[in-house]
Amino acid sequence: MTTRTDAPTRREQILGQAARLFAERGFHGVGVDEIGAAVGISGPGLYRHFAGKDAMLAELLVGISERLYSGGRRCLAESGEAGLGPGATLDALIGRHIDFALDDRALITLHDRELDRLRDSDRKLVRQLQRQYVELWVGVVRQVHPELPEKEARASVHAVFGLLNSTPHLSRPSSLPDRDAAAALLHRLARGAFAAAAGTTGDSGPDGGSVAPAGGVYRVDGGTAGAGPRAGG
């Protein structure tokens, strides 16, 4: 994954603080003035960037679904260019989602609580993107575990998203080990869940891909178990 080194734009700063505050206190529990104060500008100054709180919420939830789906597609393309097998590709997908689950917990909480506040068109777009993201995973999982029927593979992907997107419930410092250890644990759990669904005991695919330490590249949901902040829909 390419690590971004440039500073966030003012618009990105506003969205970051809005996500944090919405997740902590609920959408209706946060005013525009509070979001502005968190980024050092007046509440009315926010209207130079967003039409209002509804627009911020839509950009946050549609945006993360778009990022997850585009990131998944990029992961598959890069794996193909590198000649990686299905097991290594699945490891890369899991690593990306784990980055999301560990680094963007506020968005997972926001998705779970506030998705229904979006306009119908935005909510449908989120669900569509989540379904597409799920199908990327289903294809790779079935390459690693060809004995797994398509419906069971899809259900397993949703279940794994639910597992990975449980991180907001582990918010106390003592709830998780350090980030690298937490990522590696989540990666093992995800691979183990797919292996269990397929009725196998190992966690390597036909290409010998093993459970790589999950560091790396991402995060997700849905009204199922997980692609936006839990991916699905």
Side-chain angles (χ1 to χ4, degrees):
M1 173 182 80
T2 300
T3 301
R4 177 175 173 167
T5 57
D6 52 317
T9 65
R10 175 66 79 182
R11 187 180 183 87
E12 290 169 336
Q13 291 174 348
I14 292 169
L15 287 173
Q17 291 302 318
R20 179 183 65 81
L21 291 169
F22 291 159
E24 288 177 357
R25 306 215 302 268
F27 182 75
H28 288 305
V30 178
V32 170
D33 289 344
E34 294 170 279
I35 298 172
V39 294
I41 62 177
S42 66
L46 288 181
Y47 293 107
R48 292 197 296 269
H49 302 276
F50 296 96
K53 290 198 306 177
D54 289 338
M56 294 180 210
L57 181 64
E59 186 154 335
L60 284 165
L61 295 184
V62 173
I64 187 54
S65 296
E66 288 175 338
R67 279 197 349 251
L68 285 168
Y69 178 50
S70 63
R73 292 182 62 187
R74 187 166 57 251
C75 178
L76 266 61
E78 291 172 352
S79 294
E81 291 171 2
L84 300 181
T89 302
L90 181 57
D91 283 335
L93 282 174
I94 293 171
R96 283 177 176 269
H97 198 109
I98 286 171
D99 279 352
F100 162 73
L102 290 174
D103 298 335
D104 288 309
R105 300 184 204 183
L107 285 175
I108 295 175
T109 298
L110 192 59
H111 179 282
D112 287 347
R113 291 180 182 171
E114 312 291 357
L115 181 64
D116 287 344
R117 298 192 188 280
L118 295 184
R119 294 179 305 174
D120 286 347
S121 58
D122 288 330
R123 189 168 58 252
K124 288 177 181 177
L125 178 56
V126 168
R127 295 300 194 195
Q128 177 185 2
L129 290 164
Q130 290 175 350
R131 286 192 295 269
Q132 291 171 326
Y133 181 64
V134 167
E135 293 310 308
L136 291 180
W137 281 64
V138 170
V140 176
V141 168
R142 294 196 73 214
Q143 289 177 15
V144 176
H145 298 290
E147 70 279 16
L148 192 59
E150 182 176 341
K151 288 184 179 179
E152 292 186 19
R154 187 170 295 108
S156 300
V157 169
H158 285 303
V160 166
F161 284 157
L163 185 159
L164 298 180
N165 291 336
S166 66
T167 51
H169 303 291
L170 303 173
S171 57
R172 296 192 308 276
S174 61
S175 297
L176 286 172
D178 63 67
R179 192 192 187 286
D180 288 345
L185 172 61
L186 290 170
H187 203 119
R188 291 196 305 273
L189 290 170
R191 271 293 214 146
F194 287 129
T200 61
T201 56
D203 55 9
S204 61
D207 63 330
S210 60
V211 179
V217 247
Y218 239 88
R219 37 185 220 172
V220 173
D221 164 312
T224 58
R230 278 192 286 194

